[in-house]
Amino acid sequence: MNRFFILLALVPGIILEPMIPQVPVSSNTAVIEEEQEQIIDETIVNITETEQDIQKSVSSIVYTNVVYKTPYETYTYATLDEAKENINISILSDSECNLRAIENKNKYACEAEKVLELLNEYRRENGLSEVVHDDTIATAAMHRAVESAYADWNMTAYENGIIKRHIRPNFEKASTILDYYGLTGSYGENYGRYQDSPEEIINDWKASSSHNSLMLGNYTRAGIGVAQDSEGYYYWILLLM
């Protein structure tokens, strides 16, 4: 079950719309942050934040260079406010997402366990200690997967023109999910959609330098989020702390 996109990344900073708008698919490319690429991949983006980042004054934060991807088209906006004015979609409340997240922890337990198993296998191969399952982080990850799948959501923006952030369907940055679940500390998130299996999402993350770096980062706890959209396509979230 795949959705197929053709994305041409010939010039940094240019995002070309898909040429085949019928059935989108996962891709193995990703943002190369160290080379300051502005081209956002359809399927996988990773974000790392420290507690200090999260506690910055909201009044001092400006979000620009917004990239929003529907299953078939890519839209860019100068600011997050502009994106809010132009995007009108149905979203779930946090309380609704929480209920579905709890349900999904049972529904997708096998998939989540396999992702964690593959992640720890990869960490051991690289001489690193395993990360352990954390139930609260897992609920937060499921919450992020649920809200993204429900809204067919994929948005990133640059905070103060420097740091790329995931933006949630409620137009808040992804780290606000930590506040909702009472989590504090350093935080990293890998996102993916349209991969059909744990093996495929892990391989896609391995193929991206930024996502690979996060999987091999200095974390001790993990939560895996899995959800399916209205057409049955998978959304994957890896939260590490």
Side-chain angles (χ1 to χ4, degrees), residues 49-171:
E49 292 191 68
T50 64
E51 188 171 3
Q52 183 177 7
D53 291 330
I54 296 167
Q55 293 175 345
K56 286 180 179 177
S57 170
V58 174
S59 62
S60 67
I61 296 176
V62 176
Y63 293 100
T64 57
N65 301 321
V66 180
V67 176
Y68 169 57
K69 297 196 171 191
T70 73
Y72 307 108
E73 297 183 82
T74 297
Y75 300 90
T76 59
Y77 302 97
T79 66
L80 192 58
D81 286 339
E82 181 186 348
K84 289 180 185 179
E85 292 173 1
N86 286 277
I87 298 172
N88 182 21
I89 60 168
S90 176
I91 67 172
L92 295 173
S93 68
D94 277 336
S95 58
E96 290 171 319
C97 285
N98 173 256
L99 291 174
R100 295 193 186 196
I102 293 170
E103 292 174 357
N104 279 11
K105 285 166 69 176
N106 292 321
K107 183 176 181 180
Y108 298 106
C110 292
E111 290 88 344
E113 288 170 6
K114 187 62 176 180
V115 170
L116 185 61
E117 176 189 327
L118 293 171
L119 171 63
N120 278 326
E121 179 182 296
Y122 188 48
R123 287 177 64 89
R124 290 195 303 271
E125 290 172 357
N126 285 272
L128 300 171
S129 58
E130 296 186 358
V131 290
V132 298
H133 168 85
D134 182 286
D135 193 62
T136 303
I137 298 174
T139 306
M142 286 291 182
H143 187 134
R144 288 279 295 117
V146 164
E147 66 182 8
S148 298
Y150 183 84
D152 286 326
W153 190 259
N154 182 353
M155 179 180 282
T156 58
Y158 278 83
E159 183 178 296
N160 294 335
I162 301 173
I163 305 171
K164 184 162 50 186
R165 303 295 192 201
H166 287 168
I167 303 298
R168 298 173 59 194
N170 61 5
F171 293 99

Side-chain angles (χ1 to χ4, degrees), residues 1-5 20-26 71-72 231 233:
M1 173 163 50
N2 281 325
R3 296 178 169 182
F4 188 77
F5 263 78
I20 302 177
Q22 289 82 13
V23 233
V25 88
S26 59
Y72 307 108
E231 297 180 50
Y233 297 103

Side-chain angles (χ1 to χ4, degrees), residues 218-231:
N218 186 26
Y219 299 102
T220 59
R221 298 175 293 156
I224 313 299
V226 187
Q228 288 174 278
D229 65 17
S230 59
E231 297 180 50

